[in-house]
Amino acid sequence: MNPIFLLTPSDRGPVLKIREQNLSSALLISLEITELTPLVGKEELVAKGQKIASDPQNKLPSVHSSVSGKVLDVKKDFILIEEEGERVAAPLTLDNSDSSSMLSYLREAGIDVSGLKQGCTLIINTVPAEAGIDGHRFLIEEFNQIMSEGLDFLKEALSPKASAIAVPQGMSWTLPGCTGHEIKPVYPNGLAPMVVKAVTGKEMPSGVSVIDAATLYRIGRTVHGKQPVTEIMVKVGNTLFQAPVGTTVKLLTSKAGFKLSDGDRVVLGGPLSGRAVYSLNHGIPADTQGVTVIAGSNTPVAKDSPCLGCGECVIKCPARLMPNMISRHAEFGLFENTQAYFIASCFECGLCAYWCTAQRPLLQYIRLAKKELFSKPILEDLRK
């Protein structure tokens, strides 16, 4: 089997705590994807755990400073903070009077709760999303009690009808009160829609919520410590780091032993569905679980080639969509047309682009169309 598809967790190695190394550079808190509004100004002193960006619509998770420091720069896409002092933000205040207040507490602590529904069937997903992103193993085996605390909080907030834990085949991981389901560790079986189908036997059923092990750990740690979790576990190559949010990929890849060359790509996430960064000074976001380095010397580069109509992407799509047609319309700005091809059902596994004979950037076209449909009016002038 091509190792890029293998999801079996690797053996546990030591965790490298980046703060015990030389942090050496300011932290860059990314707002690029979230488009949140900064709450701090240049030269302002901030405390560790202080909220520094939020969503005016109150739907997206807030962002917090991962260090006590001074704000060096604020742009639309990032906040740059240099470590200074030992200030710590006041503890979060929990209102557990109802489900909405409890979920709002988690959102304020920086955790995405948009997919959680009251009265749902709750699935804890411990299967690696992609090859090499297997820091779950350390969290489950070392912090089972913290994760159980997070699960208890979720159960109180959601009152789920049933709770299940999805584990890679051969692993004996459990959580109290959860029914175990083994998943064949082959990509894309670890992605949420595939896990839901494996556990429930249904495609995209309503009333099912999935939360991955890393997020459950963050919930448990937040509830336990009453502070936002500003240090995350992130796997870079074979090294598992404990690093503050905002640590640059340049520092992480260097500490992991990579010597980058022109043409190499650094990806937040896995090689099939991750997002390449445009600068090595990019800071890791709170939801990052892995950083992948793709060598430029032996990897095909995506091109804006015409679609050949070979159908490989259609054959390989696990959602049975037509990525060829979606990408053709997105390529020319006809974003609303992609809805006729059920673009919302795409869970962005990236297999279409991997198998594309013409090496077209199919996943990027799909993500562009989704973003345009979600946030902006249709661009009529692109049709002229």
Side-chain angles (χ1 to χ4, degrees), residues 105-106 111-113 116 146 149-151 153-154 211 214-224 229:
Y105 173 80
L106 295 179
I111 296 167
D112 185 3
V113 296
L116 300 179
I146 286 291
E149 201 168 331
L151 181 59
F153 183 88
L154 278 184
I211 193 162
T215 304
L216 184 63
Y217 165 79
R218 292 179 61 209
I219 292 173
R221 186 61 76 187
T222 299
V223 173
H224 185 82
V229 178

Side-chain angles (χ1 to χ4, degrees), residues 218-235:
R218 292 179 61 209
I219 292 173
R221 186 61 76 187
T222 299
V223 173
H224 185 82
K226 295 184 173 48
Q227 287 281 357
V229 178
T230 56
E231 292 199 353
I232 58 173
M233 297 290 183
V234 56
K235 191 85 177 283

